[in-house]
Every structure is written in structure tokens, then in C-alpha cells.
Amino acid sequence: MAQQWREGSLGKVFANLGWLLAGKGVGAVLSLVYLALAARTLGPRGFGEFTLITGGAQAVAAFVSFQTWQIVVRYGLPHLKAGRSDAAARLASFCLMLDLGGALVGCLVAALAVWLLGDWLRWPPGLAWDGLGFTFVILLTVRSTAVGVLRLHDRFGVGASADAVTPITRFAGALAVVACGPSVPGFLLAWTAGEIFTAVAYWMAVARTVPGAMAWPNRRRLRLAVLENKGIWRFSWLTNLNTTLDAGAKQAVVLLVGLAAGPVGAGQYRLAYQLTQALARISDMASRAIFSELARAHAAGGREDFRRLILRAVGLASGAGTVIMVILLIAGRPILGLIGGEAYRGVYPLLVLLGLAAAFDLASAIFEPALIAMGRATQVIAARILACISLFAILALFLPLWGTRGAAEAVLASSAIALLLFGGASWRAIR
């Protein structure tokens, strides 16, 4: 038991990250294929309408998400370490209720947004309702708690298999849509199937690999979960606010570009943004892989091990970001031509700017979970607020002047500011 619950190590981070990359590696290749199918067959305007819908759905999901997987890992580790499996199960039930509550609120927000913004985004008649249905599916196929349960019990490999269902389903669906006649509703249907099948795969994985890890939520269990996990409401709201300020704000940029430059401009921005998400996914996976080990190291009280883990992870993240940025600079233009064709070759400057922003985010992805693991979520929120204010302030100045390129420059500036803030806060904390 002592060996199992020793402090986190960089080797364990690599093992966890390896499982995540195994699931995402296939997905990254397939995502380039189905992205190319959508961009080439729908054309600039159709692809722009498609990306506005998917970006809007992801923005709403980010605004109402509680990142319950972090709550499960953060508060579940002490319960498992002390042999309190029942308390860990009640914690998972509490997190599931948070997911469902946020999803219902998100459905109301989405319906209101479609009613207010549908005409401004210049969607064809009926497409707004297709987008609303897609958003409902994104919100209601909750799986963050299932992700947390698998990571709490060190089942990263199982989670990677479930995660791979999304790109495989989207790829198969995109091929079917192209064969039957490409259309925005058809691609939305393929994306919808991916979300549903992935959620089913995650919950089946939880039931099969860690039976008893979930307790059916009722009033008594939820009340006990709050009593057994001191500060859980505060931590939950802070993780929600952090996601809103980070992912929600960046997805909102796509909608603002659509309002300012129309669907074609939004499609160009989204294509560059989507390609740089290969780097952003690595940062997200690095954050998720290291968070569990940082939480273990901090719970074990090994200050030097904790500090050494952070410093080594930052060095590796910086090197990885540099390598991937060089790849984007060298191969970015041919990749754009291959995926989108001649209509998207002018998107290369956006790709470089957003790629550099993603490289900064990769380094930030080490500092943020370190601060959360140390219980300094308030500092994370303060840094996010400042970065978010800078994003929209610069966007308000640059977007009217330079359009989509101004939006990319605003995202780059915001990512650089966030890195400085997170790095400074982490350095002060680990000293």
C-alpha cells in the first residue's frame, strides 16, 4: 500500500501521458482527415457555418462545466488512501449531479443564445435548430465524472480507449456524409454520434473496470459528500470559473469572429485554430496526466519531490512546445493546402500565431495543475481573470482593425500573459 500511494513521479506522469497519447494519437490523424472532408466538401461558407455551430456548442459547454474530473481526483485520493471507498463513491455521485445540473443550465443558455444570435450569425433557415440540437447533445452526454473515476483509480489506459471512440465515430460518419451528399446537418449528425458513443463507452468502462466506484445519488449521499469533503463547493465553483475564463473565452472568440467577419472568416479562423489544437491537446493531456501525480506528491508531503517534479515537467513541456512550433513553421503551409485546398492557403499567418499561443499554453498546463494541487485555486482564478480581460480588451482593439488576424494576435497576447502569471505564481508557491 505504501508503494502504491508513494509521492508522484515524472515516470508515472510519462506512463499516464503515454496512455493519453495512445488514445489521442489515432484521433489526431483521423481528425485531420475528417476536418479535410468537411472543409473541402462544404466550401468556405458551409464550413464556416459548421464551425460556428460546433464552436458555439463548445463555448456553452465550457461556461457551465465544473471540470468534475479534477474534483474527483483532488478529493478522492485521500479517501482511497485511507480506505474510505464509500466516501469516494459518494464524492463521485456528487460530481455527477454537478455535471447534470450544469448541463441543464447550459441547455437554457443555448436556447436563449440561438434566439438572440441566430439572425446576427446569418445562418440559413432551420440550421439554428440543428445547432441547438447538437448543443443539447454536447451538454447532456456528461462524462467528466467518469473520466475522474478512471483516473482516480489509475485506469488511464481504459480511459484512452474510451476517448478514441470520438474520432473513430466522426471519421466513419464523415465518410458516410460525403458518400450520401455533404451538408452541414449531415456533419453535425456525425459529430453528435461521436459524443453519444463516447459517453456510453466511458460509463461502460467505469462499470466494468471499477465496479462500486459510483453510488446512486440521493439526498443523504449528497449531503454526506459535502460534509466529508471540506471546501468542495468552493473548489467546484473555482474550477467552473477557471474553465469559463479559459476554454469558454477562446471558443467565444470564434463566435465574435463570425459576428465581425461572417461565416467565411469564422471558418478560416477555425481551421487554423483546429490545426493548432494538436498542440493544445498535448497541453490538455499533459495537464491531466500531471495533475494526478502532483496531487499524490502533495498529499504525501514530499516538498522536494513536488518541486523537482514541477521543474522537470516545465523543462520537458518547453522543449516539446519548441519542437512542435518548428514543425508548424516548416509544414504548416503544405498541411493547410492539403486539408483545405487553395481557398485556405492564406490562413497560414493565423496558423503561426495560434500555434505560438498553443505553445505558451503547453507551458501553462504544467503550472496550473500545480497550483490547484497545492490548494491555490484562487491564484489560478486571479491569473485567468487577468488573462481573460487582456484577451477581450486586445480583441476589441485588433478585431475591427485587422479582422481574423487581429483575433489571432489577441489570443497570442492573452496566452503569453497567462504564462507569465501562472509561472510567477507557481515560482512563489514552490519557494
Side-chain angles (χ1 to χ4, degrees):
M1 194 68 173
Q3 176 66 21
Q4 180 182 358
W5 293 106
R6 63 184 175 80
E7 67 276 3
S9 66
L10 195 63
K12 195 61 178 295
V13 172
F14 274 127
N16 295 342
L17 185 57
W19 281 117
L20 292 174
L21 286 171
K24 294 290 188 179
V26 175
V29 176
L30 293 180
S31 67
L32 292 177
V33 178
Y34 60 66
L35 183 66
L37 290 173
R40 284 180 172 269
T41 59
L42 292 178
R45 181 173 181 85
F47 183 69
E49 293 168 350
F50 173 70
T51 56
L52 282 173
I53 291 174
T54 55
Q58 291 168 356
V60 173
F63 278 117
V64 299
S65 171
F66 281 93
Q67 290 295 297
T68 49
W69 74 269
Q70 287 187 345
I71 304 172
V72 172
V73 173
R74 169 74 170 77
Y75 286 93
L77 277 172
H79 291 314
L80 289 190
K81 185 176 180 181
R84 300 189 297 267
S85 58
D86 290 344
R90 287 191 289 269
L91 170 66
S93 299
F94 174 85
C95 291
L96 177 59
M97 292 305 296
L98 280 183
D99 283 339
L100 293 174
L104 294 177
V105 172
C107 289
L108 295 176
V109 172
L112 184 62
V114 167
W115 178 55
L116 293 175
L117 300 178
D119 292 337
W120 288 3
L121 292 172
R122 288 164 273 181
W123 286 339
L127 190 58
W129 299 109
D130 293 331
L132 185 61
F134 174 75
T135 305
F136 282 179
V137 171
I138 287 283
L139 292 166
L140 294 173
T141 51
V142 295
R143 55 181 182 267
S144 183
T145 297
V147 172
V149 170
L150 291 175
R151 288 172 183 169
L152 174 64
H153 292 270
D154 212 14
R155 300 292 196 273
F156 274 80
V158 178
S161 300
D163 217 29
V165 173
T166 300
I168 292 173
T169 305
R170 287 181 179 179
F171 172 70
L175 291 177
V177 170
V178 172
C180 297
S183 65
V184 174
F187 279 103
L188 287 175
L189 183 61
W191 264 235
T192 298
E195 295 298 321
I196 294 173
F197 291 158
T198 303
V200 171
Y202 261 111
W203 287 110
M204 287 181 62
V206 169
R208 185 177 65 254
T209 60
V210 280
M214 293 284 300
W216 186 254
N218 57 37
R219 185 177 299 178
R220 177 178 175 275
R221 289 192 178 111
L222 296 177
R223 185 175 64 252
L224 284 175
V226 174
L227 294 175
E228 291 166 344
N229 300 279
K230 184 179 179 181
I232 190 171
W233 272 117
R234 179 177 177 273
F235 187 84
S236 300
W237 285 111
L238 288 175
T239 59
N240 169 262
L241 184 57
N242 184 44
T243 305
T244 297
L245 294 172
D246 182 22
K250 289 181 178 177
Q251 294 294 342
V253 172
V254 179
L255 297 179
L256 293 175
V257 171
L259 290 172
V264 175
Q268 292 174 341
Y269 178 89
R270 181 70 178 185
L271 180 62
Y273 180 80
Q274 195 71 27
L275 290 176
T276 60
Q277 287 308 287
L279 182 55
R281 286 193 189 100
I282 293 176
S283 68
D284 180 62
M285 287 185 287
S287 175
R288 296 183 181 209
I290 199 172
F291 179 77
S292 300
E293 295 312 305
L294 286 172
R296 294 181 198 276
H298 192 263
R303 291 177 178 268
E304 287 303 317
D305 291 322
F306 186 82
R307 180 185 302 179
R308 185 164 51 249
L309 178 60
I310 293 175
L311 294 177
R312 293 180 66 186
V314 169
L316 291 170
S318 301
T322 302
V323 170
I324 297 177
M325 192 62 207
V326 170
I327 294 174
L328 282 178
L329 289 172
I330 296 174
R333 201 181 298 273
I335 290 174
L336 280 173
L338 180 64
I339 291 178
E342 293 296 329
Y344 292 96
R345 286 191 180 273
V347 181
Y348 179 70
L350 303 181
L351 181 67
V352 173
L353 292 169
L354 293 174
L356 186 56
F360 289 157
D361 291 339
L362 179 57
S364 297
I366 305 301
F367 295 126
E368 180 183 340
L371 289 168
I372 293 176
M374 287 185 284
R376 297 173 183 261
T378 304
Q379 294 185 20
V380 173
I381 296 303
R384 281 290 176 210
I385 289 174
L386 291 174
C388 192
I389 291 173
S390 68
L391 170 62
F392 288 105
I394 299 172
L395 192 67
L397 179 62
F398 285 8
L399 184 58
L401 293 175
W402 297 299
T404 53
R405 178 165 182 166
E409 290 172 346
V411 171
L412 173 58
S414 174
S415 296
I417 292 171
L419 175 57
L420 291 174
L421 293 171
F422 280 127
S426 298
W427 178 250
R428 289 191 298 272
I430 64 175
R431 288 183 65 186

